[in-house]
Amino acid sequence: MKVKVAGMARLKMRRGPTIGAEYELADGPVTIGRGTKNDIIITDNEVSREHCRLVPKGRGYELQDLGSRTGTFVNGQRVEGSRLVTVPSLIELGDSITLEFDPGADHHDYQEAELPATRELDGLFLVLTLHTQPERTYSLRTETVTIGRDLSNDIVVQDPEVSRLHVRLRRTDDGYYEIEDAGSTNGTFINGQELLGTYLLQFEDVIELAPNAQMRYVHEPETETPSPDRTSAPLNAKKATSESSRVFRPIQPEFLKGNNNTTQLGSGLSEGALVDHIFVSYARADWENIIVPLMVVLQDSGIQAWVEQYLMPGGDDWRAGVEQALRECWLMVLVMSPQAMNSRHVKLQYRYFLNREKPMIPFGYKSVSTLPPEFAPLHIVPYDPKNQSHSFQRLILEIMQKRT
């Protein structure tokens, strides 16, 4: 099978101020930054004045970080000094800019390339069920498939309990896929069994990355297909003894570590475990739309946050956990919405902080008609639904300023 490759190397903005913009890479060095003297100018606070440089080298380009403040990343890996990129890759500048690198024909040894001879199977899919969102179907056609929370993955699953790189799929010689955990925090489960090694997937297998993030491996998305007649190595896994023994730890906070038999902590939380955490107060109705992506960004920024989502409201563990978090967390982020401001629990939480003059940052997720009078001296960090990433960065900056 032959594939035509044409055109010069280029960058395409996938995330940033000018989504879809394309930049052809000249034969000489190409500088990228916020300053006006750069060849590619990106006006975003995450981008340094002189952020990085692409220098033609051999079959690709050498990507050099120029001492940027927020870092340069290739497929999720930070560039320390320089890195050679020769194949299609995602280049990220800080947390808000993603550029797709296309090497083009000028940096290949060929105009027509013979692809490896592998058996092609039509109709291999993963069907993702995430929270209460509609199912999403992904076709499997490449040699390897990475799945995780980071934007560099082939399949991105934005759930705070999913690791940046969670699992990896590889196509076998006969065209099927085997799966392995990529060192995830919470582990991977296949049909209720914890994946410990490499496993050859069978049709209708259920891959569980988190309680609310599951994928089915199917031959056709809409129909049930029997497993092919083939011999599979046994699943290198241990059976979960019960549903309650499945402990999925939120990546941040780390408070479920060491609690081996329940996800409802409280009594098992050691004294002083939350002194470096921030308390995120919110309405549970806002969890999926704003708190989940916010937790992901806080985790990636190294900020430890405590949420009560994983506790049963009103229970003894919930009461003990909330009381300890209120007592020990050094700052509160209040995600404001009409539901949050009308919640009795949320009112008790923010009043606890205000009465003790502990730092609190209101985050204006949704407009509220009447603000409590005690909010008058507080600075409300605005939320822009058209630029969520920028809104989160403003919030993180405010948190950092309170810390100093």
Side-chain angles (χ1 to χ4, degrees), residues 2 18 28 42 63 78-79 89 142 158 163 192 197 251 280 286 291 297 303 323-324 348 355 403:
K2 293 185 178 182
T18 54
I42 301 177
L63 177 61
R78 185 161 190 153
V79 176
S89 305
T142 56
Q158 288 210 328
S163 295
I251 293 176
V280 181
D286 298 328
I291 306 302
V297 172
I303 297 173
E323 288 176 0
Q324 181 170 348
L348 291 173
N355 290 339
R403 189 62 158 169

Side-chain angles (χ1 to χ4, degrees), residues 34 44-48 51 69-71 93-97 393:
R34 198 175 71 245
D44 188 281
N45 290 334
E46 282 287 290
V47 180
S48 298
H51 199 103
R69 177 177 55 86
T70 56
L93 313 183
D95 287 327
S96 59
I97 306 298
Q393 293 306 315

